[in-house]
Amino acid sequence: MATRCEIAISDRSGQVKAKLYRHFDSYPDRVFGDLTGDIPAAFQKLKKAGRHFNAESLAAMLVVGSVDSNGVPGIVPCQNTHDDLAYRYLVQVEDESSVTVEMDGGIRSERIEFL
């Protein structure tokens, strides 16, 4: 059985700008580990392209970065909340150099900083 999760991405004010759905491997250690690498990588790619780092661009980069060697994304945009989720994560973009990641309303929280 798959371990599903939702990853909501909000701006500084806390308004959710994008919701993503991950069907497999959504355990906290895996998701926090992936986000710790994927978010700084997304920031660097956006910076190199001269684009702003914000909630919407981060969501797009996480989807693109999740595409496997067969061209299938591991994370997809979603509009509706699935009712069989094991976990919910919130990624809040704090500024141009940091985000905060929370699991299930603050059970676990980590700040990710990058330059």
Side-chain angles (χ1 to χ4, degrees):
M1 176 135 185
T3 306
R4 300 165 177 90
C5 79
E6 176 183 275
I7 302 170
I9 303 178
S10 70
D11 61 13
R12 288 181 197 98
S13 72
Q15 182 179 8
V16 173
K17 297 292 189 172
K19 289 196 315 185
L20 306 175
Y21 174 75
R22 181 171 167 156
H23 191 76
F24 294 105
D25 298 327
S26 297
Y27 293 101
D29 287 342
R30 179 69 185 258
V31 171
F32 275 89
D34 288 350
L35 293 176
T36 298
D38 294 347
I39 291 173
F43 170 79
Q44 291 300 327
K45 288 177 184 176
L46 290 165
K47 182 178 175 181
K48 184 176 180 180
R51 303 286 300 271
H52 290 288
F53 181 81
N54 56 40
E56 293 93 339
S57 62
L58 175 58
M61 294 301 291
L62 290 175
V63 171
V64 169
S66 76
V67 175
D68 67 16
S69 61
N70 295 315
V72 179
I75 298 173
V76 296
C78 66
Q79 294 180 348
N80 301 315
T81 298
H82 294 255
D83 45 348
D84 60 348
L85 298 173
Y87 300 99
R88 287 187 170 85
Y89 299 91
L90 173 65
V91 176
Q92 184 166 354
V93 175
E94 302 292 343
D95 52 41
E96 284 278 334
S97 63
S98 67
V99 301
T100 301
V101 181
E102 283 188 359
M103 180 189 86
D104 291 332
I107 292 173
R108 179 174 172 183
S109 181
E110 289 185 24
R111 184 175 176 89
I112 302 171
E113 296 182 354
F114 39 87
L115 296 173

